[in-house]
Amino acid sequence: MKKDITILITSDIHGYIFPTHYRDRSDQPLGLAKLATYIKKKRSAGNVLLLDNGDLIQGSPLTYYHSKYHRDTENPVIKVANALGYHSAVFGNHEFNYGLDYLRSVVEQSEFPWLSANVINEQTGKPAYGKPYRIHEIEGVKIAVLGITTHFVPNWEDPNHIKGLKFGDALETAKVWVAKIRKEENPDVMVVSYHGGFERDLDTGEPTERLTRENQGYQMCQEIKGLDILITGHQHRSLAGKVNGVTIVQPSNHGQKLGEIQISLFQEGDRYKIDSSSSQLIEVANLTTNKDLQELIADFEDQTQQWLDTPIGEVEGDLSITDPLETRLKDTPFIEFINKVQMDATGVDISNTSLFNNDSPGFGQKVTMRDIVSNYVYPNTLSVIRITGQDVKDALEQSASYFNVVDGKITVNPSFMEPKPQHYNYDMWEGIEYELNVSNPVGERVTKLNYQGQSIDENKEYEVVMNNYRAGGAGNFDMYIGKPLVKEIPIDMTELIANYLLDRKTIQATCNHNWKVVQ
């Protein structure tokens, strides 16, 4: 007897339910409410397993608003996920951003299990808050789904948000559990749902980025015996195909695409065996919005939109951004403003920050919460670390690798664009004076570096404020790893920016031109 089963996968939804990016109210090709149209249609036609691969509950203004002001109420994202009938979800790294109390509430409200075999309770040594795996039976076919989370979470997360947890190596944990599940459960289909991605080319195995073991998907396909399906995420890439005979998928982010895996099985005795499997990506652009799903949280969405339009302050001067590349080539009022907020919050006189993506519009004359969250898109807090002048120089050299010179023009290094844009890994500083000559070889681009009018002392220590993500060394800033933590500000930057504006009512756009990039 033949059986056909469909697995539908979402990943990195980041709280985007409605088809909006929240910078305005325009309809955009994204969001779980659009994907729901295809999910419901597919479910009505056959055997469907619906899985989420992590980073579900954090990342949009709606989730931020809930976590900050309404965390004791029903979680709108989980309300939608319950209505859609997810079979399971995996903990992504961003599930921990709002703290463990919030995460416990999410797990308790969910009508589906959360999975991760390598997020471990330090005291018990067992998987924390969720289960390692789940067995799904669909018309006699036994499907095992093992959850695995990227073990790099401690590199980024506020330690208070993961207190009492440890994160086992994703690849090694998956090996152990797949063997255990195969032996004890004897499933017909073995799925690993891994909130992580690939550091190697899927066809050649050649490194596509620095090999950090953050994204071990390729190795999983090569080294895990008995693996049939590998679901990936975390990198926000659009991938479908096979690696070493293992069917893989990665369905982008923000609900822009849906992963679909088709499995055809035949019966042999009392078991089913896979005859064939394939994967594809469903484009949300071709789907209409499911109104019933929207209606579930329409009131809370309206509250979020009203909150976003709340005026915070006014600007005298120009804090707009018209050209993101130009913004990264020389000091501008907007970047200087963000650094000033960071220095004001921490009381130090050296700061760095990023222009996180190319969609940041800067501020107009009147600033609302919508303007703030449109520009500062991550739930970062601030850390002050003590580093040497040599560390400052090394960090500037790392940032300078963001640029290439092609045909006499400064361009962005492709390594910061593939496999996903990483504009957030280029930092701009306030409190020092520096010049980067990007015609020089990588590693020799810092041609000027002063502090208070004098050449910086490479052996002297300086206190520098930056976001918590960077302070942990993320983005290949290894020079920060293990450096003394002087101070933490456990308030999200969006709130710090809002408070800065509320306290002053009107701010001046200033620019001291303390740095530039030349060729």
Side-chain angles (χ1 to χ4, degrees):
M1 181 183 296
K2 184 181 177 183
K3 292 286 176 72
D4 292 317
I5 292 174
T6 300
I7 303 178
L8 298 179
I9 304 105
T10 57
S11 190
D12 299 270
I13 292 294
H14 286 291
Y16 281 85
I17 309 299
F18 281 64
T20 175
H21 49 35
Y22 290 100
R23 292 189 290 275
D24 53 41
R25 293 180 182 245
S26 62
D27 191 276
Q28 298 293 319
L30 55 83
L32 196 52
K34 282 186 178 287
L35 295 183
T37 299
Y38 188 87
I39 292 169
K40 292 198 171 188
K41 178 182 177 181
K42 200 74 179 180
R43 182 175 274 151
S44 66
N47 301 317
V48 171
L49 190 63
L50 177 61
L51 309 176
D52 183 78
N53 192 49
D55 285 1
L56 176 65
I57 64 168
Q58 177 280 337
S60 71
L62 180 138
T63 62
Y64 176 85
Y65 179 61
H66 181 266
S67 71
K68 290 302 177 184
Y69 302 107
H70 297 279
R71 61 168 49 211
D72 293 330
T73 66
E74 186 177 15
N75 189 296
V77 178
I78 298 305
K79 186 176 183 179
V80 167
N82 286 339
L84 271 174
Y86 276 91
H87 290 88
S88 63
V90 173
F91 294 119
N93 54 297
H94 285 288
E95 256 67 61
F96 301 92
N97 283 171
Y98 297 143
L100 293 181
D101 287 342
Y102 192 88
L103 185 55
R104 288 189 195 98
S105 177
V106 163
V107 173
E108 289 169 0
Q109 291 178 44
S110 300
E111 295 172 3
F112 49 87
W114 285 81
L115 309 177
S116 188
N118 67 319
V119 180
I120 306 298
N121 183 307
E122 286 185 329
Q123 290 187 331
T124 66
K126 297 179 179 180
Y129 304 113
K131 302 177 180 180
Y133 69 94
R134 188 178 186 188
I135 300 294
H136 304 274
E137 288 207 24
I138 300 179
E139 289 197 356
V141 177
K142 197 173 182 181
I143 304 172
V145 179
L146 172 67
I148 297 287
T149 303
T150 174
H151 57 261
F152 265 51
V153 174
N155 292 358
W156 311 308
E157 193 53 71
D158 181 337
N160 293 318
H161 291 172
I162 53 174
K163 190 174 182 180
L165 301 179
K166 63 180 180 179
F167 294 78
D169 182 274
L171 174 61
E172 297 307 319
T173 303
K175 284 181 182 179
V176 170
W177 277 97
V178 167
K180 179 181 175 67
I181 293 166
R182 279 290 189 189
K183 180 179 179 181
E184 297 179 2
E185 302 284 1
N186 197 24
D188 301 312
V189 182
M190 184 68 235
V191 179
V192 170
S193 187
Y194 168 46
H195 189 81
F198 297 90
E199 294 180 333
R200 296 179 181 273
D201 182 272
L202 303 191
D203 296 321
T204 67
E206 291 298 313
T208 55
E209 56 193 87
R210 185 183 178 207
L211 294 177
T212 63
R213 293 177 62 83
E214 176 187 342
N215 296 290
Q216 298 172 295
Y218 187 85
Q219 293 91 322
M220 288 182 177
C221 293
Q222 299 291 331
E223 299 180 27
I224 299 178
K225 295 180 180 179
L227 176 60
D228 298 314
I229 308 290
L230 179 65
I231 296 166
T232 63
H234 184 52
Q235 293 174 308
H236 299 183
R237 298 172 70 183
S238 299
L239 301 172
K242 287 183 181 289
V243 176
N244 194 33
V246 177
T247 298
I248 65 99
V249 73
Q250 186 173 147
S252 187
N253 64 305
H254 294 177
Q256 296 178 85
K257 295 177 183 178
L258 180 73
E260 179 175 342
I261 295 174
Q262 296 286 353
I263 309 172
S264 181
L265 304 101
F266 63 92
Q267 191 169 8
E268 189 175 90
D270 59 354
R271 292 284 310 279
Y272 283 91
K273 291 192 174 182
I274 297 175
D275 183 46
S276 64
S277 63
S278 62
S279 60
Q280 64 174 332
L281 298 172
I282 307 303
E283 299 280 349
V284 75
N286 302 322
L287 302 174
T288 59
T289 304
N290 184 287
K291 301 300 182 184
D292 292 339
L293 205 69
Q294 281 187 305
E295 190 60 33
L296 282 177
I297 60 168
D299 289 344
F300 195 80
E301 172 72 10
D302 287 343
Q303 290 180 46
T304 303
Q305 294 285 0
Q306 291 174 23
W307 168 72
L308 286 170
D309 289 326
T310 302
I312 299 297
E314 296 187 2
V315 175
E316 289 186 357
D318 186 3
L319 287 182
S320 64
I321 296 172
T322 56
D323 186 328
L325 181 59
E326 285 297 316
T327 301
R328 298 184 180 102
L329 291 176
K330 61 183 179 181
D331 192 23
T332 58
F334 180 79
I335 296 300
E336 185 166 298
F337 167 73
I338 299 298
N339 275 317
K340 284 165 65 175
V341 171
Q342 294 187 171
M343 292 188 289
D344 179 79
T346 57
V348 301
D349 63 356
I350 304 178
S351 172
N352 65 53
T353 190
S354 302
L355 182 65
F356 295 123
N357 58 51
N358 286 346
D359 296 324
S360 296
F363 292 158
Q365 285 191 313
K366 292 187 181 295
V367 184
T368 66
M369 282 303 303
R370 191 183 302 279
D371 296 322
I372 294 173
V373 300
S374 293
N375 286 280
Y376 209 103
V377 295
Y378 295 112
N380 292 333
T381 56
L382 296 179
S383 297
V384 177
I385 59 175
R386 186 177 294 117
I387 61 177
T388 65
Q390 182 64 55
D391 294 328
V392 174
K393 183 178 180 182
D394 291 343
L396 288 170
E397 289 288 1
Q398 173 58 34
S399 280
S401 68
Y402 175 82
F403 298 106
N404 275 352
V405 177
V406 178
D407 297 330
K409 293 183 179 180
I410 299 177
T411 62
V412 178
N413 186 333
S415 68
F416 284 79
M417 296 299 295
E418 299 294 340
K420 69 174 182 178
Q422 299 178 55
H423 302 297
Y424 50 80
N425 283 331
Y426 169 74
D427 292 334
M428 294 160 280
W429 293 60
E430 192 65 31
I432 58 174
E433 303 84 43
Y434 65 93
E435 182 175 285
L436 307 177
N437 189 325
V438 295
S439 293
N440 291 347
V442 171
E444 302 176 15
R445 291 180 165 183
V446 178
T447 54
K448 172 185 175 183
L449 178 53
N450 294 338
Y451 173 69
Q452 296 183 346
Q454 303 292 324
S455 293
I456 202 164
D457 186 337
E458 294 182 356
N459 297 312
K460 186 177 178 180
E461 293 185 323
Y462 302 86
E463 294 183 357
V464 181
V465 58
M466 60 193 75
N467 66 60
N468 61 304
Y469 173 83
R470 181 69 77 241
N476 299 331
F477 286 81
D478 295 349
M479 69 292 300
Y480 297 150
I481 295 175
K483 292 303 164 73
L485 178 65
V486 178
K487 184 185 299 184
E488 289 181 294
I489 305 297
I491 301 172
D492 284 2
M493 264 299 288
T494 48
E495 287 191 40
L496 291 175
I497 295 169
N499 292 340
Y500 188 93
L501 286 160
L502 286 167
D503 289 345
R504 291 159 177 79
K505 303 295 189 295
T506 301
I507 58 170
Q508 306 288 329
T510 63
C511 185
N512 61 9
H513 305 287
N514 65 299
W515 65 271
K516 62 181 176 179
V517 177
V518 299
Q519 62 173 316

